Amino acid sequence: MPTDSVTDRRSYLKAVAAGSVVALAGCTDSGGDGGDGGGGDGGDGGDGGDTPTDEAPQIVAGTAPGFPPFEIKEDGELTGFDVELLEAIVAETDYEFGGWKEFEFDALIPSLRDEKIDAIAAAMTITDERDNAIDFSNPYYSADQSIIVRDDGDFDPSDLDDLSGHPIGAQKGTTGENVIQTELIEKNKLDESNYKAYDNYTLAVQDLENGNIDAIVLDEPVGATFADQRSVEVSFIYETGEEYGFGVRKGDSDRQQALNEGLDAVQANGTYEELRNEWFGTN
């Protein structure tokens, strides 16, 4: 597909999405969790689900801003790799995009199951526990965990054991939190009192910069983005081999199939590569 055509379509999608965003208050291992960010319960944007009469069925999406470059707020506008990718995917299906709702990450799965939204796009890692609660699209991104520290500090860990005895942070319900719990706290390498959980990673990075914690465990591309934008740096990468997927309700095979077919389409026509290069600067 020519680049101009992709860009024009994305510009249109952005305009549609901007008019549909429901602004409310405010990545990974719990059956009731959902990646970072915004608050609220879906507000007055209406429940997800198919629209009545002869209108095309909709996909109302939920996300959690504060997880750059996947989902972020810029000048009050919701954007990011997940946001643009999902809108492009839905445009390739028979569904209409019904707008965005914002939640804290750990409220996403409950909101999906309660039919406040129809899909989750929030850099959500596919895990066995989550897969028991919801269904997932095919994977669309792979990542490991990064450990970030202050770039002007003297703490320079090279593996997880080096985190022992230090105050460490992560976002609630994320893979980073799971790594801290299972690999450090449960193995008696870190006291529970040395772990601080945050509603989103923006708050965690602020605490790191202010010296209230010494390190954060978070998804690799997000750690790299914070290192580019804030006074922090990536100390080392902890390999987890996780994969992200879009979440749908259990049994919602129609939307699951539509998202998979839309993902195949944007990968085939070059839109996926264009968005990846835009948000990650890779080829």
Side-chain angles (χ1 to χ4, degrees), residues 42-264:
D44 57 1
D47 291 343
D50 293 353
T51 54
T53 70
D54 294 330
E55 296 180 12
Q58 288 191 344
I59 292 180
V60 176
T63 193
F67 204 62
F70 290 94
E71 32 271 334
I72 55 179
K73 274 298 204 42
E74 290 184 348
D75 300 323
E77 180 182 356
L78 185 65
T79 187
F81 178 71
D82 280 345
V83 173
E84 293 196 18
L85 177 60
L86 184 70
E87 291 173 9
I89 287 173
V90 174
E92 297 288 346
T93 73
D94 293 331
Y95 286 84
E96 290 184 356
F97 182 65
W100 291 95
K101 294 185 179 182
E102 299 171 28
F103 304 86
E104 298 293 352
F105 187 78
D106 57 2
L108 284 166
I109 287 180
S111 298
L112 176 66
R113 299 177 71 178
D114 290 344
E115 300 189 9
K116 295 176 180 178
I117 52 177
D118 302 309
I120 296 171
M124 182 173 284
T125 299
I126 301 171
T127 66
D128 290 341
E129 188 171 4
R130 285 182 179 150
D131 204 29
N132 288 329
I134 64 174
D135 287 334
F136 282 96
S137 70
N138 293 331
Y140 67 90
Y141 196 88
S142 300
D144 293 311
Q145 291 293 299
S146 62
I147 286 72
I148 63 174
V149 298
R150 287 183 299 280
D151 60 12
D152 60 351
D154 55 8
F155 183 47
D156 187 24
S158 60
D159 58 39
L160 289 182
D161 288 350
D162 291 340
L163 302 180
S164 297
H166 291 267
I168 308 300
Q171 180 176 300
K172 298 174 184 175
T174 64
T175 301
E177 179 176 67
N178 185 65
V179 167
I180 292 172
Q181 293 286 353
T182 61
E183 298 299 322
L184 294 174
I185 294 175
E186 292 180 11
K187 294 181 178 180
N188 297 317
K189 296 179 180 180
L190 185 76
D191 290 338
E192 184 82 44
S193 60
N194 276 343
Y195 171 57
K196 186 172 182 180
Y198 296 86
D199 288 333
N200 63 70
Y201 273 117
T202 301
L203 296 176
V205 171
Q206 290 174 352
D207 249 8
L208 177 61
E209 290 178 315
N210 291 334
N212 297 320
I213 55 176
D214 288 340
I216 299 172
V217 183
L218 75 171
D219 294 42
E220 182 181 355
V222 184
T225 298
F226 278 124
D228 286 340
Q229 299 175 352
R230 307 288 287 270
S231 299
V232 299
E233 62 185 12
V234 176
S235 186
F236 68 95
I237 301 297
Y238 178 71
E239 295 186 1
T240 56
E242 60 202 273
E243 293 182 311
Y244 300 161
F246 298 115
V248 298
R249 276 184 295 280
K250 273 290 184 186
D252 192 354
S253 57
D254 289 343
R255 286 188 177 86
Q256 183 185 39
Q257 181 178 349
L259 291 178
N260 285 337
E261 291 176 351
L263 177 58
D264 288 343

